[in-house]
Amino acid sequence: MLPATRGGNGKQYPLERYEVVARELVRAGAAVVVIVGPGEEALAAQLAGSSGARVAPTAWHLGETAGLLAA
């Protein structure tokens, strides 16, 4: 899941709805990963804490994140 948008320009899907979707996916047995950028860790922690999702490290390079998504 990619719950953040730079600048908070009003185009961000509500976090509460991400939480509902993430909980349902986890309940169904899916491996849910929250991917955010530097400075957005609190948002990722909130989503993961309320849903059982995991948080990808923000220090990863794009290639590492791409590898995670490919897996």
Tab-separated table of all heavy atoms in Angstrom:
chain	number	residue	atom	x	y	z
A	1	MET	N	0.842	-1.166	0.000
A	1	MET	CA	0.000	0.000	0.000
A	1	MET	C	0.886	1.226	0.000
A	1	MET	O	1.933	1.254	0.634
A	1	MET	CB	-0.898	-0.003	1.226
A	1	MET	CG	-1.747	-1.242	1.366
A	1	MET	SD	-3.060	-1.043	2.557
A	1	MET	CE	-4.419	-1.041	1.438
A	2	LEU	N	0.446	2.235	-0.709
A	2	LEU	CA	1.161	3.506	-0.809
A	2	LEU	C	0.236	4.616	-0.307
A	2	LEU	O	-0.396	5.312	-1.104
A	2	LEU	CB	1.588	3.762	-2.260
A	2	LEU	CG	2.448	2.662	-2.886
A	2	LEU	CD1	2.473	2.792	-4.390
A	2	LEU	CD2	3.837	2.694	-2.309
A	3	PRO	N	0.131	4.808	1.013
A	3	PRO	CA	-0.879	5.705	1.563
A	3	PRO	C	-0.532	7.187	1.579
A	3	PRO	O	-1.382	8.002	1.907
A	3	PRO	CB	-1.031	5.197	2.996
A	3	PRO	CG	0.336	4.717	3.340
A	3	PRO	CD	0.848	4.091	2.062
A	4	ALA	N	0.688	7.564	1.234
A	4	ALA	CA	1.093	8.965	1.388
A	4	ALA	C	1.164	9.686	0.052
A	4	ALA	O	1.351	9.074	-0.999
A	4	ALA	CB	2.453	9.030	2.068
A	5	THR	N	1.005	10.998	0.093
A	5	THR	CA	1.229	11.858	-1.065
A	5	THR	C	2.034	13.057	-0.601
A	5	THR	O	1.812	13.579	0.483
A	5	THR	CB	-0.082	12.378	-1.685
A	5	THR	OG1	-0.805	13.112	-0.696
A	5	THR	CG2	-0.942	11.254	-2.204
A	6	ARG	N	2.991	13.450	-1.384
A	6	ARG	CA	3.812	14.614	-1.035
A	6	ARG	C	2.949	15.869	-1.003
A	6	ARG	O	2.129	16.099	-1.870
A	6	ARG	CB	4.918	14.829	-2.060
A	6	ARG	CG	6.013	13.845	-1.985
A	6	ARG	CD	7.022	14.308	-0.981
A	6	ARG	NE	7.851	13.141	-0.722
A	6	ARG	CZ	8.894	13.145	0.017
A	6	ARG	NH1	9.282	14.235	0.591
A	6	ARG	NH2	9.567	12.049	0.208
A	7	GLY	N	3.134	16.660	0.035
A	7	GLY	CA	2.480	17.960	0.098
A	7	GLY	C	1.081	17.961	0.661
A	7	GLY	O	0.518	19.008	0.904
A	8	GLY	N	0.483	16.796	0.892
A	8	GLY	CA	-0.863	16.755	1.452
A	8	GLY	C	-1.838	17.640	0.692
A	8	GLY	O	-2.545	18.439	1.262
A	9	ASN	N	-1.866	17.493	-0.600
A	9	ASN	CA	-2.643	18.394	-1.461
A	9	ASN	C	-4.126	18.048	-1.570
A	9	ASN	O	-4.793	18.473	-2.485
A	9	ASN	CB	-2.008	18.433	-2.849
A	9	ASN	CG	-1.887	17.057	-3.471
A	9	ASN	OD1	-2.465	16.093	-2.974
A	9	ASN	ND2	-1.144	16.954	-4.554
A	10	GLY	N	-4.641	17.289	-0.656
A	10	GLY	CA	-6.055	16.960	-0.694
A	10	GLY	C	-6.414	15.795	-1.586
A	10	GLY	O	-7.570	15.430	-1.699
A	11	LYS	N	-5.419	15.194	-2.242
A	11	LYS	CA	-5.682	14.069	-3.130
A	11	LYS	C	-5.421	12.726	-2.461
A	11	LYS	O	-5.495	11.702	-3.106
A	11	LYS	CB	-4.820	14.182	-4.391
A	11	LYS	CG	-5.167	15.362	-5.242
A	11	LYS	CD	-4.332	15.390	-6.500
A	11	LYS	CE	-4.700	16.578	-7.351
A	11	LYS	NZ	-3.917	16.624	-8.583
A	12	GLN	N	-5.127	12.757	-1.197
A	12	GLN	CA	-4.785	11.529	-0.474
A	12	GLN	C	-6.056	10.783	-0.085
A	12	GLN	O	-6.974	11.348	0.498
A	12	GLN	CB	-3.978	11.872	0.772
A	12	GLN	CG	-3.482	10.673	1.523
A	12	GLN	CD	-2.558	11.079	2.665
A	12	GLN	OE1	-2.187	12.232	2.790
A	12	GLN	NE2	-2.197	10.125	3.492
A	13	TYR	N	-6.094	9.496	-0.417
A	13	TYR	CA	-7.198	8.628	-0.014
A	13	TYR	C	-7.201	8.575	1.511
A	13	TYR	O	-6.141	8.488	2.137
A	13	TYR	CB	-6.951	7.245	-0.608
A	13	TYR	CG	-8.114	6.282	-0.571
A	13	TYR	CD1	-9.265	6.532	-1.296
A	13	TYR	CD2	-8.033	5.113	0.166
A	13	TYR	CE1	-10.318	5.628	-1.282
A	13	TYR	CE2	-9.089	4.211	0.181
A	13	TYR	CZ	-10.226	4.470	-0.542
A	13	TYR	OH	-11.261	3.590	-0.523
A	14	PRO	N	-8.344	8.643	2.181
A	14	PRO	CA	-8.380	8.683	3.638
A	14	PRO	C	-7.711	7.456	4.281
A	14	PRO	O	-7.951	6.316	3.874
A	14	PRO	CB	-9.873	8.699	3.959
A	14	PRO	CG	-10.517	9.238	2.720
A	14	PRO	CD	-9.660	8.746	1.585
A	15	LEU	N	-6.883	7.714	5.284
A	15	LEU	CA	-6.158	6.638	5.960
A	15	LEU	C	-7.117	5.600	6.534
A	15	LEU	O	-6.826	4.407	6.512
A	15	LEU	CB	-5.272	7.214	7.068
A	15	LEU	CG	-4.382	6.199	7.767
A	15	LEU	CD1	-3.392	5.565	6.799
A	15	LEU	CD2	-3.646	6.842	8.924
A	16	GLU	N	-8.252	6.033	7.022
A	16	GLU	CA	-9.222	5.098	7.596
A	16	GLU	C	-9.664	4.062	6.570
A	16	GLU	O	-9.912	2.908	6.913
A	16	GLU	CB	-10.453	5.853	8.126
A	16	GLU	CG	-10.148	6.830	9.226
A	16	GLU	CD	-9.587	8.166	8.730
A	16	GLU	OE1	-9.800	8.527	7.542
A	16	GLU	OE2	-8.904	8.834	9.522
A	17	ARG	N	-9.745	4.452	5.330
A	17	ARG	CA	-10.155	3.508	4.283
A	17	ARG	C	-9.026	2.550	3.934
A	17	ARG	O	-9.267	1.376	3.663
A	17	ARG	CB	-10.642	4.262	3.046
A	17	ARG	CG	-11.929	5.000	3.351
A	17	ARG	CD	-12.484	5.649	2.143
A	17	ARG	NE	-13.695	6.379	2.490
A	17	ARG	CZ	-14.333	7.166	1.669
A	17	ARG	NH1	-13.903	7.321	0.428
A	17	ARG	NH2	-15.405	7.801	2.055
A	18	TYR	N	-7.780	3.061	3.962
A	18	TYR	CA	-6.640	2.164	3.798
A	18	TYR	C	-6.646	1.119	4.905
A	18	TYR	O	-6.358	-0.056	4.664
A	18	TYR	CB	-5.316	2.938	3.869
A	18	TYR	CG	-4.845	3.500	2.561
A	18	TYR	CD1	-4.924	4.865	2.316
A	18	TYR	CD2	-4.293	2.686	1.584
A	18	TYR	CE1	-4.464	5.399	1.125
A	18	TYR	CE2	-3.833	3.210	0.386
A	18	TYR	CZ	-3.926	4.558	0.164
A	18	TYR	OH	-3.467	5.083	-1.020
A	19	GLU	N	-6.958	1.547	6.128
A	19	GLU	CA	-6.971	0.621	7.264
A	19	GLU	C	-7.990	-0.496	7.055
A	19	GLU	O	-7.696	-1.665	7.324
A	19	GLU	CB	-7.263	1.378	8.563
A	19	GLU	CG	-6.129	2.294	8.980
A	19	GLU	CD	-6.482	3.216	10.125
A	19	GLU	OE1	-7.678	3.506	10.346
A	19	GLU	OE2	-5.551	3.670	10.792
A	20	VAL	N	-9.160	-0.150	6.575
A	20	VAL	CA	-10.202	-1.157	6.319
A	20	VAL	C	-9.728	-2.151	5.261
A	20	VAL	O	-9.836	-3.369	5.442
A	20	VAL	CB	-11.529	-0.485	5.886
A	20	VAL	CG1	-12.525	-1.515	5.383
A	20	VAL	CG2	-12.117	0.325	7.032
A	21	VAL	N	-9.192	-1.643	4.165
A	21	VAL	CA	-8.725	-2.517	3.084
A	21	VAL	C	-7.582	-3.400	3.575
A	21	VAL	O	-7.566	-4.615	3.326
A	21	VAL	CB	-8.292	-1.685	1.857
A	21	VAL	CG1	-7.621	-2.555	0.820
A	21	VAL	CG2	-9.486	-0.950	1.268
A	22	ALA	N	-6.622	-2.811	4.290
A	22	ALA	CA	-5.476	-3.579	4.788
A	22	ALA	C	-5.921	-4.674	5.744
A	22	ALA	O	-5.442	-5.809	5.660
A	22	ALA	CB	-4.468	-2.650	5.460
A	23	ARG	N	-6.826	-4.365	6.661
A	23	ARG	CA	-7.325	-5.384	7.605
A	23	ARG	C	-7.980	-6.542	6.874
A	23	ARG	O	-7.771	-7.710	7.212
A	23	ARG	CB	-8.313	-4.761	8.597
A	23	ARG	CG	-7.672	-4.114	9.785
A	23	ARG	CD	-8.687	-3.827	10.879
A	23	ARG	NE	-9.755	-2.939	10.456
A	23	ARG	CZ	-9.721	-1.615	10.560
A	23	ARG	NH1	-8.671	-1.011	11.058
A	23	ARG	NH2	-10.741	-0.885	10.157
A	24	GLU	N	-8.795	-6.237	5.879
A	24	GLU	CA	-9.469	-7.293	5.121
A	24	GLU	C	-8.465	-8.153	4.355
A	24	GLU	O	-8.608	-9.373	4.293
A	24	GLU	CB	-10.514	-6.697	4.173
A	24	GLU	CG	-11.717	-6.125	4.888
A	24	GLU	CD	-12.465	-7.160	5.720
A	24	GLU	OE1	-12.658	-8.299	5.246
A	24	GLU	OE2	-12.850	-6.823	6.852
A	25	LEU	N	-7.458	-7.525	3.768
A	25	LEU	CA	-6.434	-8.286	3.050
A	25	LEU	C	-5.642	-9.181	3.992
A	25	LEU	O	-5.385	-10.350	3.683
A	25	LEU	CB	-5.497	-7.335	2.302
A	25	LEU	CG	-6.100	-6.636	1.083
A	25	LEU	CD1	-5.168	-5.540	0.593
A	25	LEU	CD2	-6.383	-7.648	-0.018
A	26	VAL	N	-5.263	-8.647	5.143
A	26	VAL	CA	-4.527	-9.445	6.132
A	26	VAL	C	-5.399	-10.596	6.614
A	26	VAL	O	-4.946	-11.736	6.718
A	26	VAL	CB	-4.051	-8.558	7.311
A	26	VAL	CG1	-3.546	-9.407	8.469
A	26	VAL	CG2	-2.959	-7.597	6.850
A	27	ARG	N	-6.661	-10.316	6.875
A	27	ARG	CA	-7.596	-11.348	7.322
A	27	ARG	C	-7.725	-12.461	6.278
A	27	ARG	O	-7.887	-13.630	6.605
A	27	ARG	CB	-8.960	-10.736	7.609
A	27	ARG	CG	-9.934	-11.707	8.254
A	27	ARG	CD	-11.239	-11.053	8.677
A	27	ARG	NE	-10.987	-10.028	9.676
A	27	ARG	CZ	-11.515	-8.798	9.644
A	27	ARG	NH1	-12.333	-8.439	8.683
A	27	ARG	NH2	-11.241	-7.927	10.589
A	28	ALA	N	-7.613	-12.095	4.999
A	28	ALA	CA	-7.717	-13.072	3.913
A	28	ALA	C	-6.402	-13.805	3.653
A	28	ALA	O	-6.338	-14.663	2.781
A	28	ALA	CB	-8.174	-12.371	2.634
A	29	GLY	N	-5.361	-13.446	4.408
A	29	GLY	CA	-4.095	-14.147	4.278
A	29	GLY	C	-3.072	-13.478	3.379
A	29	GLY	O	-2.021	-14.059	3.101
A	30	ALA	N	-3.363	-12.273	2.925
A	30	ALA	CA	-2.422	-11.559	2.061
A	30	ALA	C	-1.300	-10.933	2.885
A	30	ALA	O	-1.497	-10.565	4.039
A	30	ALA	CB	-3.147	-10.466	1.284
A	31	ALA	N	-0.130	-10.825	2.278
A	31	ALA	CA	0.994	-10.121	2.899
A	31	ALA	C	0.896	-8.662	2.467
A	31	ALA	O	1.112	-8.341	1.305
A	31	ALA	CB	2.311	-10.725	2.445
A	32	VAL	N	0.546	-7.798	3.395
A	32	VAL	CA	0.348	-6.381	3.091
A	32	VAL	C	1.567	-5.600	3.561
A	32	VAL	O	1.973	-5.713	4.715
A	32	VAL	CB	-0.932	-5.843	3.766
A	32	VAL	CG1	-1.116	-4.368	3.474
A	32	VAL	CG2	-2.143	-6.643	3.300
A	33	VAL	N	2.133	-4.798	2.659
A	33	VAL	CA	3.313	-3.989	2.972
A	33	VAL	C	2.972	-2.530	2.714
A	33	VAL	O	2.413	-2.186	1.672
A	33	VAL	CB	4.521	-4.411	2.109
A	33	VAL	CG1	5.725	-3.543	2.418
A	33	VAL	CG2	4.839	-5.874	2.324
A	34	VAL	N	3.319	-1.690	3.672
A	34	VAL	CA	3.113	-0.249	3.552
A	34	VAL	C	4.432	0.375	3.107
A	34	VAL	O	5.464	0.167	3.741
A	34	VAL	CB	2.659	0.362	4.894
A	34	VAL	CG1	2.425	1.853	4.743
A	34	VAL	CG2	1.409	-0.332	5.408
A	35	ILE	N	4.390	1.132	2.024
A	35	ILE	CA	5.584	1.780	1.485
A	35	ILE	C	5.370	3.297	1.539
A	35	ILE	O	4.388	3.803	0.980
A	35	ILE	CB	5.854	1.336	0.039
A	35	ILE	CG1	6.073	-0.179	0.000
A	35	ILE	CG2	7.052	2.076	-0.535
A	35	ILE	CD1	6.174	-0.756	-1.391
A	36	VAL	N	6.272	3.979	2.240
A	36	VAL	CA	6.225	5.433	2.335
A	36	VAL	C	7.636	5.980	2.153
A	36	VAL	O	8.607	5.226	2.164
A	36	VAL	CB	5.654	5.904	3.691
A	36	VAL	CG1	4.204	5.492	3.849
A	36	VAL	CG2	6.476	5.385	4.852
A	37	GLY	N	7.731	7.267	2.018
A	37	GLY	CA	9.025	7.917	1.896
A	37	GLY	C	9.508	8.452	3.231
A	37	GLY	O	8.783	8.421	4.231
A	38	PRO	N	10.725	8.969	3.243
A	38	PRO	CA	11.265	9.563	4.472
A	38	PRO	C	10.352	10.673	4.992
A	38	PRO	O	9.803	11.457	4.226
A	38	PRO	CB	12.611	10.138	4.020
A	38	PRO	CG	12.983	9.344	2.818
A	38	PRO	CD	11.679	9.023	2.139
A	39	GLY	N	10.153	10.679	6.293
A	39	GLY	CA	9.284	11.663	6.915
A	39	GLY	C	7.835	11.232	7.008
A	39	GLY	O	7.012	11.936	7.597
A	40	GLU	N	7.509	10.089	6.435
A	40	GLU	CA	6.129	9.589	6.449
A	40	GLU	C	5.994	8.331	7.302
A	40	GLU	O	4.995	7.622	7.231
A	40	GLU	CB	5.674	9.319	5.013
A	40	GLU	CG	5.705	10.566	4.144
A	40	GLU	CD	5.579	10.282	2.653
A	40	GLU	OE1	5.924	9.176	2.202
A	40	GLU	OE2	5.145	11.199	1.942
A	41	GLU	N	7.008	8.075	8.124
A	41	GLU	CA	7.034	6.854	8.934
A	41	GLU	C	5.871	6.766	9.916
A	41	GLU	O	5.341	5.684	10.159
A	41	GLU	CB	8.370	6.745	9.694
A	41	GLU	CG	9.567	6.547	8.809
A	41	GLU	CD	10.194	7.847	8.299
A	41	GLU	OE1	9.643	8.947	8.558
A	41	GLU	OE2	11.241	7.758	7.633
A	42	ALA	N	5.441	7.887	10.484
A	42	ALA	CA	4.331	7.860	11.447
A	42	ALA	C	3.042	7.385	10.780
A	42	ALA	O	2.274	6.618	11.370
A	42	ALA	CB	4.135	9.238	12.070
A	43	LEU	N	2.818	7.835	9.567
A	43	LEU	CA	1.641	7.398	8.811
A	43	LEU	C	1.689	5.893	8.578
A	43	LEU	O	0.705	5.180	8.787
A	43	LEU	CB	1.581	8.139	7.475
A	43	LEU	CG	0.435	7.768	6.543
A	43	LEU	CD1	-0.872	8.344	7.061
A	43	LEU	CD2	0.715	8.290	5.155
A	44	ALA	N	2.869	5.398	8.179
A	44	ALA	CA	3.031	3.961	7.938
A	44	ALA	C	2.831	3.164	9.221
A	44	ALA	O	2.179	2.121	9.213
A	44	ALA	CB	4.409	3.680	7.353
A	45	ALA	N	3.385	3.663	10.319
A	45	ALA	CA	3.250	2.965	11.604
A	45	ALA	C	1.797	2.902	12.042
A	45	ALA	O	1.343	1.881	12.563
A	45	ALA	CB	4.109	3.651	12.659
A	46	GLN	N	1.061	3.971	11.832
A	46	GLN	CA	-0.359	3.981	12.201
A	46	GLN	C	-1.131	2.952	11.381
A	46	GLN	O	-1.924	2.186	11.922
A	46	GLN	CB	-0.954	5.364	12.000
A	46	GLN	CG	-2.418	5.443	12.380
A	46	GLN	CD	-3.001	6.825	12.196
A	46	GLN	OE1	-2.286	7.808	12.043
A	46	GLN	NE2	-4.310	6.912	12.196
A	47	LEU	N	-0.897	2.930	10.086
A	47	LEU	CA	-1.600	1.985	9.218
A	47	LEU	C	-1.228	0.550	9.576
A	47	LEU	O	-2.100	-0.312	9.696
A	47	LEU	CB	-1.293	2.279	7.752
A	47	LEU	CG	-1.898	1.351	6.707
A	47	LEU	CD1	-3.404	1.227	6.864
A	47	LEU	CD2	-1.548	1.842	5.310
A	48	ALA	N	0.045	0.295	9.770
A	48	ALA	CA	0.483	-1.061	10.113
A	48	ALA	C	-0.054	-1.480	11.479
A	48	ALA	O	-0.507	-2.612	11.656
A	48	ALA	CB	2.003	-1.133	10.101
A	49	GLY	N	-0.019	-0.571	12.429
A	49	GLY	CA	-0.485	-0.894	13.773
A	49	GLY	C	-1.964	-1.206	13.855
A	49	GLY	O	-2.399	-2.008	14.677
A	50	SER	N	-2.745	-0.600	12.989
A	50	SER	CA	-4.190	-0.813	13.042
A	50	SER	C	-4.662	-1.956	12.148
A	50	SER	O	-5.820	-2.330	12.186
A	50	SER	CB	-4.917	0.469	12.625
A	50	SER	OG	-4.667	0.755	11.273
A	51	SER	N	-3.738	-2.509	11.330
A	51	SER	CA	-4.196	-3.492	10.357
A	51	SER	C	-3.419	-4.806	10.353
A	51	SER	O	-3.880	-5.782	9.789
A	51	SER	CB	-4.107	-2.898	8.955
A	51	SER	OG	-2.750	-2.677	8.599
A	52	GLY	N	-2.218	-4.813	10.927
A	52	GLY	CA	-1.394	-6.013	10.855
A	52	GLY	C	-0.476	-6.039	9.646
A	52	GLY	O	0.199	-7.024	9.386
A	53	ALA	N	-0.435	-4.942	8.891
A	53	ALA	CA	0.470	-4.844	7.741
A	53	ALA	C	1.904	-4.661	8.230
A	53	ALA	O	2.137	-4.373	9.400
A	53	ALA	CB	0.061	-3.661	6.861
A	54	ARG	N	2.851	-4.814	7.344
A	54	ARG	CA	4.277	-4.591	7.628
A	54	ARG	C	4.701	-3.302	6.937
A	54	ARG	O	4.099	-2.894	5.948
A	54	ARG	CB	5.141	-5.742	7.107
A	54	ARG	CG	4.719	-7.105	7.566
A	54	ARG	CD	5.067	-7.305	9.008
A	54	ARG	NE	4.623	-8.631	9.415
A	54	ARG	CZ	5.142	-9.277	10.410
A	54	ARG	NH1	6.114	-8.753	11.105
A	54	ARG	NH2	4.678	-10.459	10.744
A	55	VAL	N	5.760	-2.684	7.445
A	55	VAL	CA	6.269	-1.444	6.870
A	55	VAL	C	7.610	-1.703	6.206
A	55	VAL	O	8.520	-2.271	6.820
A	55	VAL	CB	6.421	-0.357	7.951
A	55	VAL	CG1	6.985	0.929	7.344
A	55	VAL	CG2	5.093	-0.080	8.637
A	56	ALA	N	7.755	-1.295	4.945
A	56	ALA	CA	9.036	-1.404	4.234
A	56	ALA	C	9.963	-0.296	4.726
A	56	ALA	O	9.506	0.818	5.000
A	56	ALA	CB	8.819	-1.271	2.731
A	57	PRO	N	11.248	-0.567	4.858
A	57	PRO	CA	12.195	0.467	5.300
A	57	PRO	C	12.233	1.655	4.343
A	57	PRO	O	12.281	1.472	3.125
A	57	PRO	CB	13.546	-0.257	5.303
A	57	PRO	CG	13.199	-1.714	5.397
A	57	PRO	CD	11.898	-1.863	4.675
A	58	THR	N	12.198	2.858	4.886
A	58	THR	CA	12.238	4.051	4.033
A	58	THR	C	13.637	4.318	3.491
A	58	THR	O	13.793	5.093	2.558
A	58	THR	CB	11.756	5.300	4.795
A	58	THR	OG1	12.566	5.477	5.957
A	58	THR	CG2	10.308	5.178	5.179
A	59	ALA	N	14.649	3.669	4.048
A	59	ALA	CA	16.026	3.880	3.594
A	59	ALA	C	16.382	3.038	2.368
A	59	ALA	O	17.470	3.186	1.823
A	59	ALA	CB	17.000	3.565	4.730
A	60	TRP	N	15.486	2.185	1.941
A	60	TRP	CA	15.771	1.345	0.779
A	60	TRP	C	15.857	2.183	-0.488
A	60	TRP	O	15.140	3.165	-0.666
A	60	TRP	CB	14.679	0.312	0.586
A	60	TRP	CG	14.797	-0.880	1.468
A	60	TRP	CD1	15.722	-1.105	2.436
A	60	TRP	CD2	13.939	-2.014	1.470
A	60	TRP	NE1	15.486	-2.313	3.033
A	60	TRP	CE2	14.410	-2.882	2.465
A	60	TRP	CE3	12.827	-2.363	0.729
A	60	TRP	CZ2	13.787	-4.103	2.730
A	60	TRP	CZ3	12.204	-3.567	1.003
A	60	TRP	CH2	12.691	-4.428	1.986
A	61	HIS	N	16.714	1.743	-1.397
A	61	HIS	CA	16.787	2.341	-2.723
A	61	HIS	C	15.604	1.837	-3.545
A	61	HIS	O	14.976	0.824	-3.218
A	61	HIS	CB	18.096	1.961	-3.410
A	61	HIS	CG	19.291	2.536	-2.727
A	61	HIS	ND1	19.642	3.856	-2.844
A	61	HIS	CD2	20.205	1.973	-1.902
A	61	HIS	CE1	20.721	4.081	-2.123
A	61	HIS	NE2	21.081	2.956	-1.535
A	62	LEU	N	15.312	2.519	-4.615
A	62	LEU	CA	14.173	2.157	-5.461
A	62	LEU	C	14.256	0.714	-5.943
A	62	LEU	O	13.253	-0.001	-5.977
A	62	LEU	CB	14.075	3.113	-6.652
A	62	LEU	CG	12.894	2.908	-7.591
A	62	LEU	CD1	11.578	3.013	-6.837
A	62	LEU	CD2	12.935	3.925	-8.713
A	63	GLY	N	15.467	0.255	-6.286
A	63	GLY	CA	15.632	-1.122	-6.752
A	63	GLY	C	15.249	-2.141	-5.703
A	63	GLY	O	14.685	-3.197	-6.021
A	64	GLU	N	15.567	-1.852	-4.448
A	64	GLU	CA	15.197	-2.780	-3.368
A	64	GLU	C	13.682	-2.824	-3.177
A	64	GLU	O	13.093	-3.885	-2.978
A	64	GLU	CB	15.890	-2.354	-2.072
A	64	GLU	CG	17.383	-2.528	-2.123
A	64	GLU	CD	18.087	-1.891	-0.939
A	64	GLU	OE1	17.907	-0.667	-0.726
A	64	GLU	OE2	18.805	-2.627	-0.225
A	65	THR	N	13.051	-1.665	-3.249
A	65	THR	CA	11.586	-1.616	-3.131
A	65	THR	C	10.941	-2.330	-4.316
A	65	THR	O	9.966	-3.061	-4.141
A	65	THR	CB	11.113	-0.164	-3.046
A	65	THR	OG1	11.736	0.464	-1.914
A	65	THR	CG2	9.605	-0.090	-2.868
A	66	ALA	N	11.489	-2.147	-5.502
A	66	ALA	CA	10.974	-2.845	-6.682
A	66	ALA	C	11.099	-4.350	-6.511
A	66	ALA	O	10.193	-5.106	-6.893
A	66	ALA	CB	11.701	-2.383	-7.937
A	67	GLY	N	12.203	-4.813	-5.949
A	67	GLY	CA	12.396	-6.245	-5.692
A	67	GLY	C	11.362	-6.770	-4.730
A	67	GLY	O	10.844	-7.885	-4.903
A	68	LEU	N	11.051	-5.996	-3.705
A	68	LEU	CA	10.015	-6.400	-2.750
A	68	LEU	C	8.671	-6.546	-3.452
A	68	LEU	O	7.978	-7.543	-3.274
A	68	LEU	CB	9.910	-5.367	-1.614
A	68	LEU	CG	8.734	-5.542	-0.673
A	68	LEU	CD1	8.919	-6.807	0.184
A	68	LEU	CD2	8.559	-4.320	0.207
A	69	LEU	N	8.335	-5.574	-4.267
A	69	LEU	CA	7.059	-5.628	-4.982
A	69	LEU	C	7.008	-6.791	-5.969
A	69	LEU	O	5.969	-7.416	-6.154
A	69	LEU	CB	6.801	-4.300	-5.701
A	69	LEU	CG	6.583	-3.103	-4.790
A	69	LEU	CD1	6.509	-1.827	-5.609
A	69	LEU	CD2	5.339	-3.277	-3.936
A	70	ALA	N	8.138	-7.091	-6.584
A	70	ALA	CA	8.184	-8.196	-7.539
A	70	ALA	C	8.022	-9.544	-6.847
A	70	ALA	O	7.493	-10.487	-7.436
A	70	ALA	CB	9.502	-8.173	-8.305
A	71	ALA	N	8.461	-9.627	-5.596
A	71	ALA	CA	8.369	-10.889	-4.853
A	71	ALA	C	6.925	-11.152	-4.500
A	71	ALA	O	6.491	-12.235	-4.302
A	71	ALA	CB	9.219	-10.833	-3.600
